[in-house]
Amino acid sequence: MEKNIFAKLIAQQLNLQERAVDNTLALLDEGCTIPFISRYRKERTGGLDEVQIAAISNQYERFKEIQKRKETVVKTITDLDKMTPELEKRIKDCWDATELEDIYLPYKPKRRTRAQVAREQGLEPLAKILLLQRERDPEHAAKRYVCGDVIATPADAIKGAQDIIAEMVSEDERSRQQLRGAFRRQAVISSKVVKAKADSDEAAKYSDYFDWSEPLKRCSSHRLLAMRRGESEGILRISISPDDDECIERLQHHYVYGNTPCGKLVAEAVEDGYKRLLKPSIETEFASLSKEKADDEAIRVFAENLRQLLLGAPLGQKRVMGIDPGFRTGCKVVCLDAQGNLLHHEAIFPHPPVNKRMEAAMSIQKMLKKYQIEAISIGNGTASRETNNFIRDVLAGRYDVSSSPKKSVGGDLQSPPQVFTVSEDGASVYSASKIARDEFPDEDVTVRGAVSIGRRLMDPLAELVKIDPKSIGVGQYQHDVDQTKLKHSLDQTVESCVNNVGVNLNTASQHLLMYVSGLGPTLAKNIIDYRKENGAFTSRAQLKKVPRLGPSAFQQCAGFLRIPGAKNPLDNSAVHPESYAIVEQMAKDQDCTVADLINNKDKRETINIQRYVTAEVGIPTLTDIMMELEKPGRDPRQQIEEFEFDSRVNTVDDLVEGMELPGIVTNITNFGAFVDIGVHQDGLVHISQMANRRIAHPTDVVKLHQHIRVRVIEVDHRRNRISLSMKGFS
């Protein structure tokens, strides 16, 4: 019954068909993953995509949490013997968390308040008398409640009664909703510097917010999170407030009936209730809601950046030289085979203060020839630009260490290796992790880091899944947002990317397999162990022999695992084993093999998929099958491109306003994109400088790691900031 209610509510909130939502909830309850549902159960969901299914899943969890809370509320009120049929029905019909808390508030156990003390003193009847506002002389009425030292005077009694009224006002649902409306319409968020910290070095980065205010509804995610971070560091003091006088007047209008003595006392109580109880409560609520909204937006941007990073163009299986650049400690160089296995490593010192440039050039040439290197991957950290220039000089034969420079560089290779700069964010985290220690127990962290840089070029997805997404450096304020929500969103993003690309069952690491639909750490390890003991998998069906990998896990994972060179070509495609019989029937009807069907476009074009529709399999699945037969196991990622910085600039001091430069997008936020132009300091293209037209979000114009051209519009040496423009280029 509850699930039916959930399906109806979710369908209304997300503007989806109730039947599709109901079926999706059933699949989620069966243990199906989001990638599996979106890819292989389109008939049941009406073709919902991963984003829609994830939204359904998130709302489902939220409603289940509300249901648990309702059970607690009902039990508490019942135990207090204050439950009524009307109240129980209100709680049962309520599916808004804020409204539920408003209903519960008068019954909620709380610390001993001033109003509670007054009630214990027997002053509640006096409070009701004042609220009725019929007494001409409230002090005379209050005399009846004077008793010894507890309530010494009528004024004490009136004060206690006002405390009760103040609390009643603050807990009244109508009052709370009215004030929420005022906060939504007109609340202003203000930020002031804590004077004692104003001149400190750590406060400088918050100087924009030393005396700042703006309507809360217009406050962007990044500004709010910046202010909240300043507040948590004790540098800023933040407040959220509507027009107090207007709010008090509106509340008094509901409770005060005239300019009578009792009316004046009620008006005082209402004002006290607003300032002392109601406003702080709603301000806290809106501080939390605005933070939650800012968190959600920051997490959304982070997840989208992570998706773009994980789906970055792979070089593929090439022999790669990975270089972790450095000055004093030298450059750590590793040579990897086409499968990413470490063949050799050494350190070279081409830069100051050691300056063994010729010796380093000879070492590079020797490694290029010996290991038949096809591509070079250079980390983008310290000394990256200098190392890139050095490597290009070596490849161009500018070091006279051989009578035939080109031959010395390429050896037996037909062309010199391509040179790429890759992000090394998180490489140090990986190199010190248990995963890296397990992979390279006999190597130090510098070697592991260089291996990671090399492998990131070959397959960014396979390498980056080994690193905590928060350490990859494509988000802002990732340590300030809700960590549980962040982890959930990023895990979903990684899972989505891994399953979107597909995984080679015979080469995937345990960490990559963990993210395959239906697997996880235990089954991923079991697959690796089975592979070690029995050799490479030759068919998907062999997965059923892996310990603890039962029918349900097989159903969820099989379609996302690839086996290149398998006897059945469908084992290297996204066609699910449950649909093999359909493809085999298609091949039989065409009087050919499945392999022939894949290789012969004419035969595929003669197939009428309507003939293969069944009660379980519809046009969406059959259409996906035909697309997959056209390009089995196709990689959805783009081709990688070489990039070279402008040779005129190496440091910020080389920049001149108006200069046009090539750059790489390194991070995207709501307010713009950060771009590496090769000067050891990323520049910012503000959203207003991204195009000659108004754009809603930077992702409308740029993608992570995109190669772009920019114009320098300002260089702020004091704050070490570079402002760039894309106008005229985008």
Side-chain angles (χ1 to χ4, degrees), residues 428-494:
S428 59
V429 175
Y430 160 76
S431 63
S433 69
K434 183 180 184 303
I435 300 167
R437 292 196 301 272
D438 290 343
E439 283 193 282
F440 303 104
D442 300 325
E443 308 297 348
D444 66 22
V445 292
T446 60
V447 174
R448 297 171 192 158
V451 170
S452 180
I453 289 168
R455 286 177 172 177
R456 287 184 193 200
L457 176 63
M458 300 167 74
D459 190 340
L461 179 60
E463 193 62 21
L464 291 172
V465 293
K466 301 173 184 176
I467 303 168
D468 181 351
K470 287 192 297 183
S471 303
I472 295 177
V474 291
Q476 277 208 316
Y477 305 105
Q478 56 260 45
H479 300 290
D480 300 297
V481 301
D482 185 306
Q483 296 300 294
T484 302
K485 274 189 178 181
L486 178 63
K487 185 178 187 310
H488 177 69
S489 176
L490 298 185
D491 284 348
Q492 274 192 346
T493 301
V494 175

Side-chain angles (χ1 to χ4, degrees), residues 301-351:
V301 172
F302 194 167
E304 179 55 32
N305 284 350
L306 178 63
R307 179 181 297 278
Q308 292 180 25
L309 185 65
L310 294 175
L311 295 180
L315 179 68
Q317 292 192 328
K318 304 281 187 182
R319 295 180 295 277
V320 169
M321 173 182 286
I323 304 178
D324 186 359
F327 286 114
R328 183 181 56 82
T329 57
C331 301
K332 183 62 72 174
V333 183
V334 298
C335 297
L336 310 175
D337 67 15
Q339 286 71 45
N341 298 309
L342 177 63
L343 302 176
H344 173 77
H345 67 83
E346 65 179 86
I348 60 172
F349 298 85
H351 309 308

